[in-house]
Amino acid sequence: MCNRNTSLTDPTADFVLSDLLTATEDLIDFTINVFDTIRLQSHFNDRNRRVNLASQLKDALDAQKTEFGTIEIPIKPCTVTTTLKYDLSLYLDRILQSCKRTKANLMLLRVSHTRSTNTTLLLVASTNVRVEQLNKKVQLLTRLVKENGGEFQTKKKKKKKILSNTKLDEKNRSEWTLDYPPLFAHFEYGLSKLAYYFDPAMLDINNLNYASEKTKLFQRLSVIGSEIILVFAIFSLLKTMQIGRKNHDIPMPIIQMLFALSLLANFGLIIVDHIHFQYNGFLLGILLISISCMYQNQYLMSAIWFSTLLNLKHIFLYIAPAYIVYLFHSFCIKQSPNGKRFIINLITLGIATLVPFVLSFGPFILMNQLPQVLSRLFPFKRGLCHAYWAPNMWAVYNVADKALAIIGRYTHLFPVRSVSVSMTSGLVQDIEHQVLPSITPTMTFILTFIFMIPSLIRLFRYCSKRTFLETVILCALTSFLFGWHVHEKAILISIIPLSLLAFDSREHARYFLLLSTFGGFSLFPLIFTGPEIPIKIGLFIAYTTFLFYILGEVHGDRGSTFTLPLLNRFETLSVVLLVPLCLYVEFLHTVLHIDRILPFLPLLLISIYCSIFIIYCWIRLHRIEAHLEDELTAIESTVKFSGRWNKKQKNKSD
Amino acid sequence: MNYLLFLGLLASAITLRWIVARYPYSGYNKFPMFGDFEAQRHWMEITVNLPVSEWYQNSSSNNLTYWGLDYPLLTAYHSYICGWISNKINPTWCALKESHGHESDAHKLFMRYTVFIVDLLIYYPAVFYTYRSDLLNKNVETKKFTVLLTNLFYPLLILIDHGHFQFNSISLGLALIAFVMATKEKTILLSAIFFTLSLNYKQMELYHAVPIFVYLLSAYCFEQRKPKLKTFLSLGFVVILTFFIIWFPVLKHDPMAVMKRLFPFERGLYEDKVANFWCTLNLIVKLRTKFDHGTLAKLCLLTTSLSILPSCCMLFRRPTVRNFYISLFNVSLCFYLFSFQVHEKTILLSCLPVILLSATYPVESFTFLQFAMISAFPLMIKDNLVFIFWITFIGFSILAFQRLYIHFNHISLLQLLFSVLCITTTLPLLIAAIYVKPPSRYPDLWVVLISACSCIYFLITLAQFHIYQFKETISYIKKTN
């Protein structure tokens, strides 16, 4: 297009307009050459679908071409339907793969994380040009993405959409990338009401790329504001769980303060919520409130909180089995002397759980929108792994498959299926394995459930509060390891509850340290822009070392020359080896220009390395035995304080 | 041991610096002169592309009125190294004359990295060395820790180095090492070398030169009132040798030209509004219209030398470590308040000894450090750093209160009350400077008021620390008698 070169060198120029125009122009070429460009046909096997897509694209463009003919029209979002957008993004993955073979840049992958309309279109456009132009485009695209800010943009979109359709017209909702349950939409609706007072321009529906300082500030503040729930949850937990009660060396208030700090300044939460932009602190706060209610024996309140949480983000279905078993056992069986009572309890529990569901899904059922909503919530069309492999079992599985394929190809010991798309890039979402059997969603479900069963059985047998908490952690971790299309952020669901136990139990502290170190490290690829990389590394080191220091002091193990506090030599080595890995991934990889040959190597390394130790933690956590007697004495006993310091206090008061 | 704790502190300090580094630098998008950031970049351009003889000379390719090099040679060498690296990465960043006012994200990141690396190489080692071997708070863990925390997290240094963009941490780090080394007999020669290096990085370190000279002279060159010529000569020799090595490349050409660039007397009493004595006096007496340039310069010289005299005398009489640090503070603050051509960033030179004293006189020190930040507030407005200024200011206040709580036994409540009162009366001015439009007759009203308030507080602190030094001297004399 006309003035691309000037806009590339001039940082102040308005990128968005000229480049959207360029993108649409390129897109026209793209639609013409659509059959030539995409030779990888594994996904688009049937011809009808391809033709359909091409014609849809062309229609969408024709509708807009008239408008783009005159340049006066500002940034206009391309009104593409969701299905088309989805197909486009799948296309994108294929194309990116072919780009990789022709020395594409690593940045492309990172850009593809964010699937907002504009970036998708731009990316599709950019694949059509020659490779030497690609680099320039990539620079530009990263800039665009940075300004629009990935996740941030989708959230804003939701908000806008919701406010402009004040009648909550659910039909249109599915066009946008709202893939959270309905209650979250209501939450966003409340936020958008606030936003109106803050800066009305932000909610203008035609203003997609709007990301002023004020908007950013509002969005950031909304995250910080919503974390009040987390603070509240921590306070109520401190009261109910008596954390640090059993410690004999360090006074309880200090331990409680350290505990609160370690939760509030959690590296994962900061990275995902405050830099990447999500509302996890708020959601996990609700989870903690529910756990705290459980510790106070308020079973119904706990159930209501938890089902509210499910309606806010359905990812918490991961830990639902633990809730079901525990509530069933302790509320229905234990508390009912006779059969009649049992049935009454069961019905009350059922009603309490269903109320939030009815409130949030009710309007959809009335409008017959339920299937559509559900299909948005459970996207089985997406692949086994996320674009960046979450550090779970499937990452290991994929790598093993790849290794076996290479061995098989050279030795001919076993048959290797030829697959049109190799999956080493970590980009393709639905992976076809070459040697090992391919995985389907049903298989992941069955596996997850099978591996949950041991901990559930133990919960049913002992049925103490502490076993409940352990089971919640294990369920979350199991689903993280075996689930279908797991995000790397889901590790937070097991780390946060584990931190509740870390200050009281030495063994849990050990695995909490390991899990938060490796889980935190696996979040690194979320943040990839230049100035944020040192912030991310610095924060990670600071948080991890403080955590080791604090927990070492709390449990009276300061480590030795060769071991970190609470860890053995092997685990220490694994943590220390993160240093060279981090150096390689963040700096050496680009400095040594390995990114031109193997652009996705860092992501692969991170997810494999972290997955090994997360699996290790998962196995070890199973082996920690429940301290049943401890538990009983701890919660139900009337003596609230024990320990040397507390005794001293008592003596003083006497 | 608690190496984990130190690693954590170091990592948090680095993180804080990088968070500040995300904010704009001085003169961002301000055609045609830009700011200090452009100055540093321009020096890289000059030093890489021109031979040493032309660095300080006005020529067709080196226009001295456009951010001419006005720091000593070590700065120039440092710029040369950075420029060489930046040339390797992207030659357009330092192309001669072509790159004036170059601004890009990648280049900003590169420049931020240069400061970060320098911090890593010089400032943090200096800080941890101070923690390990500072004689003033020897064996008192909490006091040592206070000094360490203040050193690592003092926001003004971070804001100026990583936000505004300068390389103060090099000269300050070298000076810090020199101070601590000067207190031990074994390392005084090294101390002299480090101080000379620091002096050759920024000539402003002359503020510290007088006390360190007096201290070395008085503490080590006399034994029972008889001069030890050997120590004195070796110190002198080391200093001259270091100077010679650094200045060797320009000695052949024209060292006087360099000197002229370093001490620009033609630039006036002060440039912007500075919280020093002259600028505050200017509210009442319009000095610059009444006197000419030469008279003012002489007046400054006279007042400065008179004001530093008592402190130096007391130090010479009783060269204890505490006396040394207090004297460093007094002299550098006198220079800041009374000398010629002072920048607002120069207050950092007085902050350095105060940080060392922050465990000994917690209330006074922390209040002074806060006022130093307040006095730099106009600069923050200019550089668009107000938001991060508030965040760090509040954070530092929390840190200060925590440390005061730890040292609660050593502080006087009256002093604390007075300090809190001073700060709370000044804070509304800061808020007014952002939100309230000044009357059109006095467009600089808020800035001037902020400077004046800080200046008054600085004068009070100066008096206080003179009293402390006097007490220290007297008590020492009593003890020895």
Side-chain angles (χ1 to χ4, degrees):
Chain A
M1 250 294 282
C2 42
N3 52 0
R4 161 168 308 155
N5 288 328
T6 51
S7 61
L8 266 174
T9 46
D10 181 9
T12 54
D14 185 13
F15 277 91
V16 186
L17 176 65
S18 68
D19 280 282
L20 263 180
L21 286 173
T22 325
T24 41
E25 278 206 350
D26 286 353
L27 207 58
I28 296 167
D29 295 347
F30 171 66
T31 44
I32 295 163
N33 298 331
V34 69
F35 297 107
D36 306 341
T37 323
I38 301 148
R39 291 183 302 275
L40 311 149
Q41 299 176 353
S42 58
H43 183 73
F44 297 91
N45 271 333
D46 63 336
R47 193 168 169 281
N48 288 335
R49 230 181 136 181
R50 264 180 288 148
V51 174
N52 196 12
L53 178 67
S55 65
Q56 271 188 52
L57 259 177
K58 214 157 167 37
D59 287 349
L61 276 167
D62 285 339
Q64 279 167 29
K65 217 155 72 177
T66 47
E67 292 175 13
F68 275 101
T70 53
I71 301 186
E72 280 86 62
I73 294 164
I75 316 132
K76 172 91 177 170
C78 294
T79 46
V80 193
T81 57
T82 321
T83 45
L84 175 57
K85 223 170 69 192
Y86 182 67
D87 282 348
L88 265 178
S89 70
L90 271 178
Y91 253 145
L92 187 65
D93 283 346
R94 312 278 155 183
I95 296 160
L96 285 176
Q97 266 237 306
S98 63
C99 287
K100 189 205 92 191
R101 295 199 184 112
T102 52
K103 290 188 195 167
N105 202 302
L106 172 66
M107 296 310 273
L108 268 177
L109 164 79
R110 295 174 162 175
V111 170
S112 80
H113 274 307
T114 58
R115 302 201 184 287
S116 68
T117 336
N118 290 339
T119 38
T120 313
L121 287 178
L122 280 172
L123 269 175
V124 169
S126 72
T127 49
N128 208 19
V129 294
R130 285 185 298 280
V131 177
E132 59 262 30
Q133 286 181 4
L134 206 62
N135 258 336
K136 273 191 175 177
K137 290 214 166 192
V138 165
Q139 281 174 6
L140 194 137
L141 284 169
T142 42
R143 211 192 146 93
L144 265 177
V145 170
K146 211 168 70 191
E147 280 165 5
N148 300 348
E151 197 85 11
F152 176 75
Q153 191 74 5
T154 38
K155 286 278 156 70
K156 197 152 67 70
K157 250 186 281 169
K158 276 179 226 166
K159 203 174 287 182
K160 268 188 223 159
K161 189 69 201 170
I162 292 165
L163 191 79
S164 42
N165 303 337
T166 26
K167 281 185 240 162
L168 280 178
D169 184 1
E170 315 291 353
K171 271 180 198 164
N172 293 337
R173 167 104 23 101
S174 61
E175 275 188 17
W176 302 85
T177 52
L178 184 68
D179 48 5
Y180 281 41
L183 208 57
F184 197 79
H186 292 272
F187 169 66
E188 291 274 354
Y189 175 66
L191 273 183
S192 65
K193 281 276 180 200
L194 271 179
Y196 183 74
Y197 295 104
F198 207 78
D199 181 10
M202 170 176 147
L203 298 156
D204 186 3
I205 191 104
N206 291 325
N207 206 355
L208 243 186
N209 282 306
Y210 189 73
S212 69
E213 284 300 310
K214 246 185 171 176
T215 319
K216 250 186 223 167
L217 189 67
F218 174 76
Q219 298 278 63
R220 299 281 183 215
L221 279 179
S222 73
V223 176
I224 294 173
S226 68
E227 281 197 352
I228 287 177
I229 298 271
L230 184 64
V231 177
F232 175 73
I234 290 171
F235 271 116
S236 92
L237 273 174
L238 286 178
K239 236 190 282 165
T240 52
M241 281 186 70
Q242 300 286 336
I243 285 166
R245 178 192 67 253
K246 280 177 276 177
N247 202 300
H248 296 267
D249 300 323
I250 299 174
M252 196 163 114
I254 288 186
I255 293 188
Q256 296 204 333
M257 198 188 72
L258 291 176
F259 164 74
L261 277 181
S262 82
L263 256 181
L264 284 177
N266 189 294
F267 172 74
L269 276 186
I270 289 180
I271 283 281
V272 177
D273 280 12
H274 300 273
I275 302 183
H276 182 74
F277 201 83
Q278 275 193 344
Y279 290 96
N280 281 305
F282 161 70
L283 298 170
L284 287 166
I286 292 179
L287 175 67
L288 293 187
I289 288 178
S290 158
I291 291 175
S292 156
C293 286
M294 202 70 105
Y295 263 78
Q296 286 166 318
N297 292 335
Q298 298 170 341
Y299 299 108
L300 285 179
M301 275 309 283
S302 174
I304 290 172
W305 275 116
F306 184 68
S307 62
T308 316
L309 181 65
L310 276 184
N311 280 299
L312 281 172
K313 196 173 181 180
H314 53 298
I315 199 169
F316 289 95
L317 272 177
Y318 283 179
I319 50 180
Y323 266 89
I324 293 169
V325 170
Y326 185 69
L327 282 175
F328 181 72
H329 193 277
S330 58
F331 185 68
C332 300
I333 296 180
K334 257 193 192 171
Q335 292 203 345
S336 39
N338 49 32
K340 199 178 150 199
R341 180 79 196 167
F342 170 75
I343 289 169
I344 290 172
N345 272 350
L346 195 63
I347 290 169
T348 10
L349 186 63
I351 289 171
T353 327
L354 282 178
V355 166
F357 276 96
V358 170
L359 282 182
S360 80
F361 278 94
F364 293 89
I365 298 170
L366 286 180
M367 294 162 78
N368 264 337
Q369 292 277 324
L370 197 59
Q372 199 175 359
V373 173
L374 286 182
S375 74
R376 293 290 311 153
L377 294 188
F378 300 102
F380 288 115
K381 267 196 273 174
R382 300 193 197 172
L384 173 65
C385 291
H386 192 49
Y388 155 61
W389 297 350
N392 60 8
M393 210 56 114
W394 305 126
V396 179
Y397 189 82
N398 289 341
V399 170
D401 177 68
K402 184 72 190 164
L404 282 178
I406 291 170
I407 294 169
R409 214 167 283 149
Y410 285 104
T411 57
H412 303 289
L413 285 177
F414 38 80
V416 178
R417 291 190 294 277
S418 65
V419 179
S420 55
V421 186
S422 80
M423 48 96 199
T424 40
S425 66
L427 248 184
V428 181
Q429 298 202 331
D430 43 348
I431 289 167
E432 292 162 58
H433 293 95
Q434 286 168 294
V435 179
L436 300 170
S438 283
I439 304 293
T440 60
T442 341
M443 285 162 76
T444 60
F445 271 122
I446 294 169
L447 273 177
T448 315
F449 194 65
I450 288 174
F451 282 105
M452 271 184 193
I453 282 177
S455 52
L456 290 179
I457 287 176
R458 208 186 68 189
L459 176 63
F460 197 78
R461 267 179 58 202
Y462 295 110
C463 199
S464 71
K465 296 192 174 74
R466 184 163 165 153
T467 351
F468 162 68
L469 198 48
E470 282 170 4
T471 316
V472 165
I473 295 159
L474 278 175
C475 281
L477 206 50
T478 312
S479 336
F480 176 79
L481 285 178
F482 295 97
W484 179 261
H485 195 80
V486 179
H487 278 244
E488 62 278 11
K489 301 156 217 160
I491 189 79
L492 285 179
I493 302 174
S494 49
I495 293 179
I496 300 285
L498 188 52
S499 71
L500 305 184
L501 293 173
F503 283 80
D504 279 338
S505 142
R506 199 192 155 98
E507 279 298 290
H508 281 104
R510 179 172 167 185
Y511 300 110
F512 169 64
L513 284 176
L514 281 176
L515 207 57
S516 77
T517 309
F518 289 105
F521 189 76
S522 72
L523 295 175
F524 266 32
L526 278 180
I527 313 294
F528 52 81
T529 42
E532 278 84 6
I533 287 176
I535 297 181
K536 158 182 93 175
I537 297 175
L539 259 183
F540 178 71
I541 297 176
Y543 180 72
T544 313
T545 45
F546 277 133
L547 215 54
F548 271 103
Y549 177 71
I550 288 169
L551 286 175
E553 293 287 319
V554 165
H555 295 292
D557 179 355
R558 301 220 166 85
S560 65
T561 335
F562 296 109
T563 56
L564 287 167
L566 298 168
L567 302 190
N568 62 27
R569 282 194 183 194
F570 160 70
E571 290 157 349
T572 308
L573 184 71
S574 71
V575 172
V576 171
L577 277 181
L578 283 179
V579 176
L581 183 62
C582 175
L583 268 182
Y584 172 74
V585 166
E586 300 294 349
F587 302 106
L588 291 181
H589 184 73
T590 33
V591 172
L592 298 178
H593 298 301
I594 302 174
D595 52 340
R596 293 185 190 160
I597 319 161
L598 299 164
F600 308 111
L601 188 64
L603 303 185
L604 190 80
L605 282 179
I606 292 179
S607 66
I608 285 297
Y609 192 74
C610 293
S611 66
I612 292 171
F613 292 99
I614 288 174
I615 292 168
Y616 169 79
C617 287
W618 176 70
I619 295 168
R620 295 304 294 253
L621 273 176
H622 271 285
R623 296 179 55 178
I624 301 177
E625 287 179 30
H627 305 285
L628 190 59
E629 297 86 353
D630 262 14
E631 172 65 29
L632 285 175
T633 48
I635 302 304
E636 272 107 43
S637 69
T638 45
V639 185
K640 282 193 174 170
F641 298 95
S642 64
R644 200 190 302 157
W645 179 80
N646 301 310
K647 265 179 204 159
K648 257 186 232 163
Q649 294 287 313
K650 224 183 208 173
N651 293 341
K652 261 184 211 168
S653 61
D654 287 343
Chain B
M1 236 272 289
N2 25 13
Y3 58 95
L4 278 175
L5 184 63
F6 291 123
L7 186 61
L9 284 177
L10 184 64
S12 348
I14 291 172
T15 313
L16 180 62
R17 280 162 170 77
W18 274 103
I19 289 171
V20 173
R22 283 196 81 270
Y23 288 83
Y25 45 78
S26 59
Y28 176 68
N29 254 339
K30 283 185 189 142
F31 190 76
M33 277 308 267
F34 305 98
D36 273 353
F37 181 85
E38 169 64 11
Q40 299 284 353
R41 196 208 54 74
H42 181 65
W43 296 342
M44 291 180 195
E45 171 195 330
I46 293 293
T47 47
V48 164
N49 292 307
L50 298 178
V52 183
S53 55
E54 287 182 35
W55 287 355
Y56 293 87
Q57 301 279 12
N58 207 351
S59 66
S60 60
S61 46
N62 184 10
N63 176 11
L64 282 184
T65 53
Y66 184 81
W67 297 114
L69 195 51
D70 53 2
Y71 282 124
L73 281 157
L74 267 188
T75 303
Y77 298 149
H78 177 226
S79 295
Y80 177 78
I81 296 170
C82 294
W84 186 79
I85 297 169
S86 90
N87 242 350
K88 289 274 162 218
I89 299 172
N90 188 342
T92 57
W93 290 347
C94 284
L96 190 62
K97 286 194 136 180
E98 310 259 295
S99 58
H100 281 199
H102 180 91
E103 279 173 348
S104 70
D105 281 355
H107 182 243
K108 180 187 172 189
L109 191 63
F110 166 75
M111 296 292 269
R112 297 296 195 199
Y113 263 108
T114 57
V115 191
F116 164 71
I117 286 166
V118 156
D119 262 9
L120 212 57
L121 290 180
I122 295 176
Y123 193 68
Y124 301 127
V127 168
F128 284 102
Y129 176 73
T130 312
Y131 175 79
R132 240 195 51 193
S133 43
D134 184 16
L135 283 182
L136 184 61
N137 305 313
K138 208 180 167 193
N139 300 330
V140 189
E141 198 57 36
T142 50
K143 284 189 169 187
K144 273 159 74 179
F145 206 64
T146 306
V147 176
L148 177 74
L149 284 180
T150 330
N151 247 328
L152 281 179
F153 296 105
Y154 182 48
L156 186 59
L157 178 63
I158 302 174
L159 286 172
I160 287 182
D161 268 16
H162 294 258
H164 176 83
F165 203 88
Q166 276 196 337
F167 289 98
N168 287 304
S169 55
I170 297 188
S171 55
L172 292 182
L174 290 171
L176 192 59
I177 299 179
F179 296 159
V180 178
M181 281 185 167
T183 55
K184 291 183 189 165
E185 180 138 30
K186 267 191 277 178
T187 49
I188 50 169
L189 289 182
L190 273 176
S191 156
I193 292 175
F194 275 113
F195 190 74
T196 320
L197 290 177
S198 159
L199 194 60
N200 274 300
Y201 195 84
K202 287 206 168 175
Q203 69 272 35
M204 262 80 98
E205 283 295 328
L206 275 175
Y207 291 13
H208 290 142
V210 184
I212 202 167
F213 173 73
V214 171
Y215 179 72
L216 286 177
L217 187 74
S218 151
Y220 304 111
C221 299
F222 287 97
E223 202 168 32
Q224 261 96 49
R225 313 223 164 200
K226 274 179 204 149
K228 275 162 69 183
L229 212 55
K230 200 179 139 201
T231 325
F232 183 73
L233 283 182
S234 54
L235 275 173
F237 175 72
V238 161
V239 171
I240 289 168
L241 186 71
T242 321
F243 258 105
F244 181 74
I245 293 170
I246 294 168
W247 284 65
F248 183 71
V250 287
L251 282 181
K252 285 180 287 184
H253 308 293
D254 189 10
M256 281 322 287
V258 183
M259 292 305 282
K260 240 182 235 163
R261 292 293 308 159
L262 297 190
F263 302 102
F265 276 107
E266 69 278 6
R267 274 166 75 176
L269 190 56
Y270 53 84
E271 277 177 3
D272 296 328
K273 297 283 176 286
V274 187
N276 79 350
F277 181 71
W278 302 119
C279 195
T280 312
L281 196 64
N282 202 39
L283 289 176
I284 308 159
V285 190
K286 296 283 173 247
L287 285 171
R288 282 196 286 196
T289 48
K290 277 194 180 167
F291 302 99
D292 69 335
H293 225 72
T295 333
L296 279 178
K298 274 174 205 151
L299 187 68
C300 286
L301 187 67
L302 190 71
T303 43
T304 314
S305 39
L306 272 183
S307 62
I308 65 171
L309 208 58
S311 179
C312 289
C313 287
M314 284 189 270
L315 177 65
F316 188 75
R317 186 81 178 83
R318 286 299 158 211
T320 61
V321 178
R322 188 189 289 204
N323 230 342
F324 172 47
Y325 290 164
I326 298 178
S327 174
L328 276 173
F329 169 72
N330 282 339
V331 171
S332 55
L333 192 57
C334 284
F335 267 104
Y336 175 80
L337 287 174
F338 300 112
S339 73
F340 197 72
Q341 244 292 304
V342 175
H343 285 267
E344 59 273 64
K345 285 148 264 177
T346 330
I347 192 66
L348 280 175
L349 291 167
S350 321
C351 292
L352 190 65
V354 167
I355 290 174
L356 287 174
L357 288 167
S358 60
T360 326
Y361 305 108
V363 187
E364 295 85 341
S365 307
F366 280 115
T367 322
F368 179 81
L369 290 173
Q370 301 231 349
F371 259 102
M373 285 185 75
I374 289 172
S375 79
F377 189 69
L379 187 73
M380 300 295 140
I381 297 180
K382 233 190 273 167
D383 294 349
N384 261 334
L385 293 171
V386 177
F387 182 72
I388 191 72
F389 174 87
W390 283 117
I391 301 276
T392 47
F393 186 80
I394 293 165
F396 187 68
S397 310
I398 294 169
L399 177 74
F401 273 111
Q402 201 266 338
R403 292 331 283 180
L404 290 180
Y405 177 74
I406 300 270
H407 300 298
F408 200 71
N409 298 333
H410 308 284
I411 63 179
S412 85
L413 278 179
L414 201 67
Q415 177 74 44
L416 184 63
L417 209 66
F418 173 69
S419 299
V420 172
L421 202 71
C422 281
I423 291 179
T424 42
T425 44
T426 324
L427 282 185
L429 285 179
L430 300 195
I431 295 162
I434 311 169
Y435 292 111
V436 183
K437 205 164 179 286
S440 52
R441 256 186 77 197
Y442 308 104
D444 284 343
L445 178 71
W446 304 122
V447 174
V448 170
L449 280 180
I450 291 171
S451 302
C453 281
S454 323
C455 176
I456 291 168
Y457 186 79
F458 290 160
L459 284 169
I460 295 171
T461 320
L462 188 65
Q464 258 183 344
F465 272 89
H466 268 95
I467 294 169
Y468 291 142
Q469 200 183 3
F470 186 68
K471 273 185 192 162
E472 164 80 8
T473 316
I474 295 291
S475 73
Y476 191 78
I477 290 172
K478 268 183 197 160
K479 229 187 276 170
T480 42
N481 288 344

